[in-house]
Amino acid sequence: MKLTLSVIKADIGSIGGHICPSRELFESVSSYVKKHSHDLLIDHYLSFTGDDIAIVMTHTRGTGDGKIHKLAWDAFITGTETAKAQGLYGAGQDLLKDSFSGNVKGMGPAVAEMEFEERTNEPFLFFAADKTDPGAYNLPLYLAFADPMTTPGLMLAPVMAKGFRFVIMDVNHTEGDRIIELNAPEDLYDIAALLRDTERYVVESIWSRTTDEQSVVVSTSRLHNIAGTYTGKDDPVMLVRVQKSFPATGEILAPYAIGPYVAGCMRGSHQMPLMPVPLNSGISYFDGPPVVSCAAFAMHKGKMTEAVDAFAHPFWDNVRNTVSEKAIGMRRQGFFGAAMLPMSELEYTGIMEKLDRLDGKFRIRE
Ligand code: F6R
Ligand code: MG
Ligand code: MG
């Protein structure tokens, strides 16, 4: 059965600043989807991560379908009314356009979708990250799909022996999708050279070179490239089909134990460690730390089981403690050096205005 798995997410308002959506807001989005999904969806699931609400949908309409996108858009519009009525902060923040025009891509919400022939059993993972951007998945994906130190399956499972194809996008290019396809393991150093620049080069999808099936799709939009000014970080979502010819769930999850430093956190302008958190977690320290959640599912003919919370397991408690220590360690150096993002990535314009003003005051000493 040819199935489409779509996730569309947006920040449309939250409590106490940018912490998390209200129960009423979450309910209004959720009940809108439920009420209007009959002819369109096989199944759906909603969660929030930080201040973002994500709608995971299964259907047979293919990727980029106008009706599916409109359903999510209208659900977020309805939610925005609730957010406004409750006085939530940033109500409708990610809905950058006034009216829907066929596809939510470029309109603010993040989208990740893939169409595939459903396997007899279809385990998959849904990741959502807040207070960071799509490059946050670069390292975990590189390690899980190209490094046998993380994924022994690359050595042990014959079906993975040929490796994986990475489709990487240059997200600075806004006139269209500028992509490159590289194969692991032959192109490993080229893949690494691109993926180290997380603000520009982002993994968009990953494919098995044995079966040609798609495992991964990541939302790649960068709001500051779309809107031209600060509108919040991009808080990426990702879908990963796992097991058999793909890495096992444990191989996909393992890299998150590193708590890698990623761009984001306070004012979208810092480098802070990525913390794996339980589903429906909010945000706290320094408008962060950047967080990632993971819901695991099994699926049959598009019907999903209940979500299992992959980062709720006690193993991750110690990782969270380590990430907290890393976060506090980085904050000790405030705005200095590696703690804050380079000028081109600062989401607020204040510092640029200051530097422009000061530039005029410089003089060449005689
Ligand atoms: C980061 C984020 C927050 C805000 C910060 C200031 O992605 O959303 O850190 O940047 O709370 O928010 P404003 O400018 O809305 O007061
Ligand atoms: Mg936000
Ligand atoms: Mg957010």
Side-chain angles (χ1 to χ4, degrees), residues 35-57:
K35 203 163 149 198
H36 296 84
S37 61
H38 334 292
D39 308 332
L40 293 175
L41 304 182
I42 301 171
D43 207 355
H44 68 275
Y45 163 83
L46 279 86
S47 68
F48 69 86
T49 302
D51 54 15
D52 305 311
I53 297 177
I55 312 170
V56 178
M57 296 169 279

Side-chain angles (χ1 to χ4, degrees), residues 11 14 18 51-52 93-94 130-131 231-233 235:
D11 172 357
S14 64
H18 298 273
D51 54 15
D52 305 311
Q93 177 189 287
D94 281 357
D130 188 36
K131 303 291 183 265
T231 50
K233 272 282 174 209
D235 307 340

Side-chain angles (χ1 to χ4, degrees), residues 132-334:
T132 187
D133 52 25
Y137 296 125
N138 280 6
L139 177 65
L141 290 174
Y142 170 83
L143 293 173
F145 285 86
D147 180 9
M149 292 286 279
T150 300
T151 297
L154 296 168
M155 287 187 299
L156 302 179
V159 70
M160 278 199 257
K162 278 195 197 160
F164 291 90
R165 184 168 81 249
F166 284 68
V167 180
I168 297 169
M169 188 177 285
D170 174 358
V171 292
N172 277 2
H173 188 85
T174 48
E175 296 84 50
D177 291 351
R178 186 163 185 264
I179 56 157
I180 186 170
E181 298 193 9
L182 294 169
N183 288 323
E186 304 91 286
D187 303 327
L188 211 56
Y189 298 167
D190 293 340
I191 294 171
L194 292 176
L195 296 190
R196 67 160 293 279
D197 187 354
T198 53
E199 301 308 300
R200 175 152 189 196
Y201 301 109
V202 171
V203 175
E204 182 225 39
S205 58
I206 302 179
W207 304 72
S208 162
R209 294 176 68 196
T210 306
T211 65
D212 212 33
E213 286 181 294
Q214 184 171 4
S215 171
V216 175
V217 65
V218 181
S219 65
T220 49
S221 61
R222 297 220 44 205
L223 289 182
H224 90 249
N225 292 347
I226 297 170
T229 54
Y230 179 76
T231 50
K233 272 282 174 209
D234 297 282
D235 307 340
V237 285
M238 170 167 77
L239 297 165
V240 185
R241 296 168 70 210
V242 292
Q243 308 291 149
K244 277 278 179 221
S245 46
F246 304 132
T249 298
E251 291 166 334
I252 298 289
L253 296 179
Y256 295 91
I258 295 170
Y261 288 102
V262 296
C265 214
M266 178 58 72
R267 298 182 186 278
S269 302
H270 292 82
Q271 304 272 16
M272 288 286 271
L274 182 64
M275 181 182 280
V277 292
L279 297 170
N280 304 320
S281 291
I283 289 295
S284 180
Y285 175 71
F286 200 57
D287 280 5
V291 292
V292 60
S293 67
C294 175
F297 295 91
M299 177 163 69
H300 186 62
K301 294 189 175 157
K303 270 273 168 216
M304 296 181 279
T305 57
E306 72 274 23
V308 168
D309 191 338
F311 292 134
H313 189 278
F315 171 85
W316 299 97
D317 292 343
N318 189 43
V319 171
R320 285 189 267 276
N321 288 337
T322 310
V323 169
S324 296
E325 279 167 18
K326 282 176 76 166
I328 293 168
M330 185 59 113
R331 287 311 309 142
R332 288 209 177 96
Q333 69 177 64

Side-chain angles (χ1 to χ4, degrees), residues 91-113:
Q93 177 189 287
D94 281 357
L95 309 183
L96 302 180
K97 304 278 155 77
D98 292 332
S99 56
F100 181 74
S101 62
N103 190 309
V104 296
K105 260 196 180 157
M107 298 182 73
V111 194
E113 299 181 283

